[in-house]
Amino acid sequence: MNIKKYKGKNFLTLLDYSSEEVLELLHFSRLLKQYQKEGVPHQYLVGKTLAMIFEKSSTRTRVSFEVGMNQLGGSALFLSSKDSQLGRGEPISDTAQVLSRYVDGIMIRTHGHEIIEELANNSTVPVINALTDDFHPCQAMADLLTIYEVKGTFKGIKTVYVGDGNNVAHSLLIGCAKVGMDVTITTPIGYEPKQWIVEEIKAICEETGAKFHITNDPIEAVQGADVIYTDVWTSMGYEEETAKRLADFEAFQVNEELVKYAKKDYMFLHCLPAHRGEEVSIEVIDGKNSFIFDQAENRLHVQKAILVALLGS
């Protein structure tokens, strides 16, 4: 991979990356995964340090980034709001400028997307989005890698997202469009993706030839699906809406009845953590068509590729 072209880039959203760059990062992810499985040394970030800022709790994100940096020969520093001056109101711009003098890259898992944009605008080292309220691009890259590993192609594959039009949905839809994969999202009325993001996805589809469809009918959506994806109905920060969301999303559970409309060899994906019995039935998430743990593992490999691209020399 020619990492020179990634110099000076951040990883805030897949909208900032071309289709060719997304595919190149996915190819490199597969190579790094193979290296790890075969015990091939790949310590491309010796002496490099990643600062990891967490304003939202995490299991997969923290472990995969920390392990990834270790496997690449570098190191990672965990910073929660309680462990840094951010928790006491220090401006994001000050934090960015200070950390830039200590570390080689900054990863952040935070709330509003404007926070990471301000961080990136004031940082002189690469900034990686590990989740904001609008986007989750690292997760989308892991999703794409998992689909490719199982299906062997993106061409002719129909991916259907069932549920809330949230940050996970935004990045998945963008990623699918970038690689030319047909994508459909089905949500209850009022829970659709943000309109400006929908317009971006439509523009990408015009370039790649992918098909994009939004519907409020889950049965219509999953007709002939190769991949069915869902997420929790109540994301972090929306807990006060739990009761209303349980009622609004009741018809959108991914269960044995719904998946009958998909292809028999459909894949089930979920970014985890999952609420079994709510957005997905136990029979589906723990069934033979579920690839959720391969998907979770692939967070490690795609993030290593991103780290090498942005922090490598």
Side-chain angles (χ1 to χ4, degrees), residues 207-276:
E207 296 176 3
T208 63
K211 298 176 183 177
F212 176 53
H213 181 55
I214 299 179
T215 176
N216 301 118
D217 183 347
I219 293 178
E220 175 199 348
V222 302
Q223 295 280 351
D226 297 283
V227 182
I228 299 178
Y229 195 126
T230 194
D231 189 12
V232 295
W233 291 341
T234 306
S235 299
M236 285 183 285
Y238 295 88
E239 288 81 5
E240 71 281 359
E241 300 178 9
T242 298
K244 182 178 187 302
R245 284 172 173 263
L246 285 174
D248 291 347
F249 283 88
E250 185 177 6
F252 289 78
Q253 184 187 72
V254 179
N255 52 36
E256 289 182 297
E257 194 59 38
L258 184 63
V259 300
K260 287 179 181 178
Y261 297 93
K263 291 181 180 176
K264 289 188 176 181
D265 64 344
Y266 81 95
M267 295 173 61
F268 174 75
L269 297 178
H270 192 304
C271 60
L272 300 179
H275 295 161
R276 285 169 170 79

Side-chain angles (χ1 to χ4, degrees), residues 25-127:
L25 286 171
L26 289 172
H27 174 75
F28 190 47
S29 301
R30 293 179 66 210
L31 185 63
L32 291 177
K33 185 173 183 177
Q34 180 182 345
Y35 284 172
Q36 181 182 323
K37 302 297 184 185
E38 297 177 357
V40 178
H42 53 284
Q43 296 190 320
Y44 298 127
L45 297 182
V46 173
K48 302 286 186 176
T49 303
L50 177 73
M52 306 190 305
I53 302 173
F54 285 85
E55 294 190 305
K56 285 188 174 184
S57 59
S58 168
T59 298
R60 281 151 292 277
T61 297
R62 178 180 177 180
V63 175
S64 57
F65 267 107
E66 196 161 335
V67 170
M69 280 298 292
N70 182 269
Q71 291 179 355
L72 292 167
S75 59
L77 300 172
F78 173 80
L79 299 169
S80 70
S81 296
K82 296 177 181 178
D83 299 321
S84 69
Q85 296 299 330
L86 279 173
R88 297 178 61 193
E90 180 175 58
I92 292 290
S93 58
D94 287 3
T95 297
Q97 292 179 72
V98 170
L99 288 180
S100 294
R101 297 180 180 225
Y102 296 150
V103 301
D104 302 285
I106 303 171
M107 182 231 79
I108 185 169
R109 183 176 173 93
T110 188
H111 300 278
H113 195 74
E114 70 279 359
I115 295 173
I116 198 171
E117 290 180 337
E118 183 177 357
L119 185 70
N121 288 338
N122 289 278
S123 172
T124 57
V125 298
V127 174

Side-chain angles (χ1 to χ4, degrees), residues 9 11 13-26 135 137 140-141 144 154-155 169-183 197 199-212:
K9 294 196 75 165
F11 195 78
T13 164
L14 292 180
L15 291 172
D16 301 328
Y17 282 71
S18 68
S19 296
E20 291 73 23
E21 288 170 333
V22 170
L23 290 168
E24 183 175 55
L25 286 171
L26 289 172
F135 298 104
M141 291 293 288
L144 294 175
F154 293 128
K155 186 176 181 181
H170 289 161
S171 289
L172 176 71
L173 299 173
I174 294 166
C176 289
K178 287 279 185 181
V179 299
M181 189 161 39
D182 295 341
V183 62
I197 294 176
E199 296 305 319
E200 291 279 2
I201 295 166
K202 289 179 178 178
I204 297 168
C205 287
E206 289 182 5
E207 296 176 3
T208 63
K211 298 176 183 177
F212 176 53

